[in-house]
Amino acid sequence: MAEGPAGEAVASDLLAYIDASPTPFHAVAEAIRRLVAAGFTATNPLQAWDGLPSRGFLARDGALVAWSVPDGAPAAAPFRLVGAHTDSPNLRIRPQPDTGRAGWRQLGVEVYGGALVNSWLDRDLGLSGRVAVRAGGRVEMRLVRVDRPVLRVPQLAIHLDREIGERGLLLDRQQHLVPVWSVGGPEPGAFTRFLACEMGVEADEVLTWDVMVHDVNPGAFLGRDRELLSAPRLDNLCSCHAAITALAGHTGTGSIAVVSLFDHEEVGSMSATGADGGFLATVLERLTVARGGDRADHLRALAGSVCVSADMAHATHPNYPERHEPDHQVAVNAGPVVKINVNQRYATDSRTQAGFEQACAEAGVPVQRFSSRGNMPCGSTIGPITAARLGIPTVDVGVAQLSMHSARELCGAADPAMFGAALSAWLSPTAR
Ligand SMILES: [Zn+2]
């Protein structure tokens, strides 16, 4: 057997993180499990934060803010932030999902975010998310995960779709993506009873849910020499994993290291747990106040702060080279990518770019630069939102990949380790 690829241990750990995280709620729970193992302590937003843990976190639904405060940090110590997002495009179960026709039982779904919906066809799908359960006199939010194949969105046979060769595959998001899960007539209440059975509660104790589908096939190494990673949700669990790992190993002095994992990036970030909500700003202010600082100290802290917005980048696609800017080619296994857009679709400016590229140099990893074609609209990230809300200079960076927003994405196996090393160096600066 060939020798393992560079960065294999980190890549294996990333696959474990992704497999543990079929939904934003699971991604936060797994991040918490890892942070607690590294000595971080949970905080309660309803209580006073006197005696703030120097390594702590606050979780809210599919979002998390975690911090590491160096010994002796003054009240106005600045923040070094890394932001990423926990959500990925997928299919989510409707509130009244029991439906069907032609002798099939089906579950109604809604498309979440900018999914490549064709990639959800003919996959064996499980169900996961969280459920509001009545327990005694209270409502409890519980995670649920059904990891066996229970759903399938069957593609129409080519014999019944003769025009597919000329006009391509056309999928109507209301009509063509409804998964089958059983046979027989529609059965009101069946999904509720299914969830109850899976969770070991009575059907009338299942109140509401945020449940979505996931591919039950785990992530895998791929390629002639295992130099690639094939996995769901690389966008953006790859960045969440690198950020949490870097924070767990944080040893810097001076600045406070903060990682924020947001939900709802794929639908515009405007929510209580999204980057366009107040969650991060609130936690940052509490970090200053809990350490004895006042409003002036906090504004001083913000004035000295910088942020990395970590999200995946587009590698140059070998079959579509004309879709990429010819003088800004991006390769896999060639190091982190800094994303620059003069129209501020990315928040990077020359100063923050220089800071991150210096961190890459300190970590001994190469760095690449992405700039999109002038005749093609550019994607965006939480970077410009964070920069605008907090007034903090920000750099947009990430790992190169193909198939972004597919149910199954592809990146280099060596890149997660290089990205993690760059984030570690950036969180604990030596020379800046
Ligand atoms: Zn993303």
Side-chain angles (χ1 to χ4, degrees), residues 85 87 235-236 265-266 311-312 380 404-405:
H85 66 89
D87 60 320
D235 175 13
N236 191 17
E265 191 273 345
E266 301 293 358
D311 204 346
M312 300 300 276
S380 192
M404 192 179 286
H405 290 193

Side-chain angles (χ1 to χ4, degrees), residues 13-27:
D13 192 55
L14 167 61
L15 292 182
Y17 180 70
I18 290 172
D19 288 341
S21 307
T23 76
F25 312 110
H26 290 82

Side-chain angles (χ1 to χ4, degrees), residues 12 50 56 68 98 103 126 147 150 175 201 215 260 283 295 305 349 356-357 370:
S12 293
D50 315 326
S68 169
D98 299 296
D147 240 348
V150 285
Q175 194 183 344
V201 301
D215 183 350
S260 49
V283 175
R295 181 84 182 146
S305 298
D349 66 16
F356 185 77
E357 293 189 1
F370 174 84

